[in-house]
Amino acid sequence: MPKMKTNSSAKKRFTLTASGKIKRKHAFKSHILTKKSTKRKRNLTYFGSVNKADQKNVKLMLNML
């Protein structure tokens, strides 16, 4: 049986923490930043975690199940 391929877009977007959680970056931080407040842009800088409902699909894309 051939090897399973990791989804290339997923491996660029998600990273795994030591405790097994999946980290992700926030959207809405690339352009049209002038109308967004400084506080909003600052909070979008930090990493978030993937929602529990989406974790199974992300792990499938990363070949972790």
Side-chain angles (χ1 to χ4, degrees), residues 34-50:
T34 51
K35 64 175 82 169
K36 295 169 188 162
S37 69
T38 309
K39 180 180 179 180
R40 182 174 168 191
K41 289 185 281 192
R42 183 174 62 246
N43 288 334
L44 289 172
T45 300
Y46 308 121
F47 281 93
S49 57
V50 172

Side-chain angles (χ1 to χ4, degrees):
M1 189 169 183
K3 291 181 181 178
M4 296 283 289
K5 284 194 175 179
T6 302
N7 185 304
S8 293
S9 62
K11 70 183 173 188
K12 294 169 191 170
R13 285 170 170 82
F14 302 107
T15 54
L16 216 66
T17 62
S19 61
K21 293 179 184 174
I22 304 169
K23 284 198 313 187
R24 65 172 178 84
K25 285 201 125 184
H26 286 277
F28 307 108
K29 187 78 194 320
S30 57
H31 63 108
I32 314 174
L33 298 172
T34 51
K35 64 175 82 169
K36 295 169 188 162
S37 69
T38 309
K39 180 180 179 180
R40 182 174 168 191
K41 289 185 281 192
R42 183 174 62 246
N43 288 334
L44 289 172
T45 300
Y46 308 121
F47 281 93
S49 57
V50 172
N51 194 319
K52 191 178 178 185
D54 300 320
Q55 281 184 354
K56 186 179 179 185
N57 286 332
V58 173
K59 285 185 176 181
L60 276 171
M61 287 191 284
L62 295 172
N63 285 331
M64 299 179 65
L65 287 180

